[in-house]
Amino acid sequence: MTKVNKTSNWVRRHSEDAFVKKSKQDKYRSRAAYKLKAIDEKYNLLKKVSSVADLGCAPGSWLQVLKEYKNINFIVGIDLLNIIPIDGVHFAKQDISSFKSYSKLFEKKKSNLDLVLSDIAPNITGISDIDQSNFSDIASNILGFCRFKLKPEGSLIMKYFLGSSFESTLKILGNNFNKTNVFKPASSKKKSNEVYLICIGFKD
Ligand SMILES: C[S@@+](CC[C@H](N)C(=O)[O-])C[C@H]1O[C@@H](n2cnc3c(N)ncnc32)[C@H](O)[C@@H]1O
């Protein structure tokens, strides 16, 4: 199959996807909104927090979901890509690993955060060893961010991809949080290795 055919097949499948259709109706910037909603239906975290960082937030549908919670009064979003601004969201176009480049976002926030979200997906090369090593590097950057800004007893929701580095990443997270769960929302495509790690009770 030529590259053009592959791309047009992807465009057709994407536009027919029920969650893509629903996100258009509900005015969410992407179908990812329903992944966060499904995670929250099961783990019920968003009602209990007031400050959240969303790492890899573009185009911003998780930020839109966070804005629906009146109890959440401090939201930070960080991404390599720009987003269309959202009222009340503090945003930095930065790599999440360069903490210093966006530490200004937290100047007015004295206490650390209740919740860290990461929906980051590094570029997939298709070479399993390289991809798994990239996923594990991202996970250590996210854990670094938690050490930088997450409250003791705070929570982390992080996307990860099943594969050779999965067990070791889960173990590291298990050493840093009281409880870790693995969850796959219905809106996460069945053939994708993507899962979400729900980590509760940061040990700091
Ligand atoms: C699947 S998208 C996130 C979708 C988002 N949750 C939403 O609801 O709109 C993943 C994002 O991670 C970002 N990303 C990947 N690596 C990153 C890094 N090192 N630092 C910051 N953002 C990164 C990408 O630019 C991309 O926008």
Side-chain angles (χ1 to χ4, degrees):
M1 198 186 296
T2 65
K3 204 172 171 188
V4 174
N5 281 344
K6 270 191 188 164
T7 309
S8 63
N9 279 348
W10 181 88
V11 171
R12 183 180 45 74
R13 279 199 310 275
H14 183 74
S15 59
E16 285 169 359
D17 178 300
F19 289 102
V20 171
K21 284 187 180 155
K22 189 163 166 49
S23 63
K24 289 201 173 116
Q25 282 160 9
D26 294 345
K27 301 209 171 2
Y28 286 124
R29 294 178 181 190
S30 93
R31 69 194 293 293
Y34 304 105
K35 299 180 186 174
L36 181 59
K37 282 172 169 270
I39 294 167
D40 200 54
E41 258 165 44
K42 185 158 170 76
Y43 295 97
N44 199 26
L45 290 168
L46 296 183
K47 264 194 215 127
K48 299 178 189 159
V49 298
S50 62
S51 52
V52 185
D54 183 5
L55 310 180
C57 63
S61 74
W62 283 20
L63 297 171
Q64 291 177 292
V65 173
L66 294 175
K67 285 285 293 178
E68 290 165 7
Y69 287 78
K70 297 288 166 261
N71 49 296
I72 302 178
N73 55 36
F74 184 80
I75 305 173
V76 158
I78 299 162
D79 203 292
L80 296 170
L81 306 175
N82 247 327
I83 62 163
I84 297 169
I86 298 180
D87 212 23
V89 171
H90 307 271
F91 172 75
K93 182 175 175 281
Q94 294 293 346
D95 188 308
I96 59 143
S97 62
S98 32
F99 302 144
K100 274 197 188 150
S101 65
Y102 54 77
S103 56
K104 252 192 161 197
L105 290 179
F106 300 97
E107 264 173 6
K108 287 191 181 136
K109 176 84 188 144
K110 291 210 176 77
S111 58
N112 278 353
L113 306 172
D114 300 319
L115 176 64
V116 173
L117 306 177
S118 169
D119 197 20
I120 289 183
N123 289 332
I124 311 276
T125 65
I127 303 164
S128 175
D129 286 353
I130 296 177
D131 290 337
Q132 285 292 320
S133 149
N134 289 343
F135 300 152
S136 134
D137 287 350
I138 293 276
S140 34
N141 286 332
I142 292 166
L143 194 53
F145 181 89
C146 291
R147 296 199 180 101
F148 172 53
K149 278 292 158 196
L150 184 61
K151 272 182 189 162
E153 294 303 319
S155 303
L156 163 69
I157 296 173
M158 177 175 99
K159 169 144 85 185
Y160 206 79
F161 293 86
L162 297 174
S164 56
S165 66
F166 180 71
E167 287 303 328
S168 59
T169 297
L170 204 57
K171 194 168 171 204
I172 294 169
L173 291 170
N175 292 335
N176 286 275
F177 288 85
N178 292 327
K179 214 172 174 187
T180 52
N181 300 282
V182 183
F183 181 67
K184 184 153 178 93
S187 50
S188 173
K189 292 182 174 139
K190 282 201 183 81
K191 64 178 184 189
S192 155
N193 282 345
E194 162 190 283
V195 291
Y196 287 84
L197 306 178
I198 320 299
C199 310
I200 295 168
F202 185 48
K203 291 183 188 166
D204 197 21

